[in-house]
Amino acid sequence: MVIAPVQIRPEARARIIDTLTTQKIPAEYGLRVGVKGGGCGSSWLLGFDLPGPTDDIYSVDGVRVIIDKRHLLYVLDATIGFEQTEEGNGFVVNRPGDLK
């Protein structure tokens, strides 16, 4: 059994599946999880994409997750959530030890 490198909270899973369905995104696509930038200036990369030759593909609670092998160490143990606030709503990613 392969252990998923990331977790997806139920509210995020619902939004992801809803987006895949309503936008009619083909089944070959998945949720790409990664980082962009480096050092203190890095940020999370989330979006729908096709897998490439350097990617690993995981099934996380029924969501196809694509992670570039070069990003795996940086995203390991991350939790993807979805928050609604007065400022707006969107996906959030946290790793153990992240400041809230």
Side-chain angles (χ1 to χ4, degrees):
M1 171 168 56
V2 175
I3 297 174
V6 298
Q7 302 301 313
I8 301 175
R9 293 189 185 275
E11 67 278 4
R13 180 183 179 279
R15 289 288 180 146
I16 292 165
I17 291 174
D18 182 61
T19 301
L20 287 166
T21 304
T22 59
Q23 298 299 316
K24 298 180 180 157
I25 297 173
E28 300 82 34
Y29 281 72
L31 178 69
R32 179 169 297 281
V33 179
V35 292
K36 57 183 174 180
C40 294
S42 65
S43 60
W44 289 100
L45 172 67
L46 291 175
F48 297 107
D49 199 4
L50 287 168
T54 62
D55 293 326
D56 285 330
I57 302 169
Y58 303 89
S59 179
V60 181
D61 296 327
V63 174
R64 187 175 194 201
V65 175
I66 302 168
I67 301 174
D68 188 310
K69 292 174 185 166
R70 298 170 292 189
H71 293 214
L72 185 58
L73 183 62
Y74 302 104
V75 303
L76 195 61
D77 294 330
T79 300
I80 301 165
F82 188 86
E83 293 183 351
Q84 295 180 342
T85 66
E86 289 182 14
E87 292 84 32
N89 54 19
F91 291 96
V92 294
V93 183
N94 293 303
R95 289 190 61 198
D98 282 351
L99 296 174
K100 300 277 182 192

